Amino acid sequence: MNDKRIEIEPYDYIEYFNRNTGLMVSMDKNGNPNVMALDWKSIEEFEGNTVIRATVAYTRYTYTLLTEGVNEFSVNIPSDKNYSATDTAGSYSGRNTDKFKKTGLETIPGKRIKVPTIKDCLLSYECQIIHSSKSNMSSHHYFYGKILAAYATNDILK
Ligand SMILES: Cc1cc2nc3c(=O)[nH]c(=O)nc-3n(C[C@H](O)[C@H](O)[C@H](O)COP(=O)(O)O)c2cc1C
């Protein structure tokens, strides 16, 4: 149920964003989405834009999609209803597993981006990549996604 999904400002409810693992959705050029678990994320200011900075390992299929697929991503903070999907999203690769099928996670078409958000999450963000750079770890890369839309849903609003 997403009957109470409302648009919010990027920093609203940030304590929920900070304290929970995220589900990051990326997409290939054919429109196929993939989801991975994302702990290393922050909302911050970058060159006058409010962004989500996501730290993604080079080995992830997600990295391939962020660099060679659609130049956008969504970040979603699961609720009690779909939190268990985090395990699958964080332990299987989209290279050989359809994690949406495996978890039963349902998507909502993006409003301002092509990449969908995930249904029944506490918070969701639609982001367009405006910059990427090496991180302070040789294994990971930073992606800066300008927040074009942010949503809060049922469980957080009740
Ligand atoms: C709780 C949790 C948090 C994670 N956080 C990150 C993260 O911040 N960055 C990252 O690159 N991988 C992270 N991972 C690992 C990826 O989610 C995992 O390798 C995933 O299978 C990659 O999927 P993909 O190959 O479809 O991109 C995390 C895994 C778990 C279980």
Side-chain angles (χ1 to χ4, degrees), residues 33 46 71 131:
F46 177 78
N71 196 38
H131 183 69

Side-chain angles (χ1 to χ4, degrees), residues 7-13 125 150:
E7 209 160 331
I8 57 169
E9 295 298 319
Y11 288 101
D12 291 348
Y13 304 106
Y125 305 84

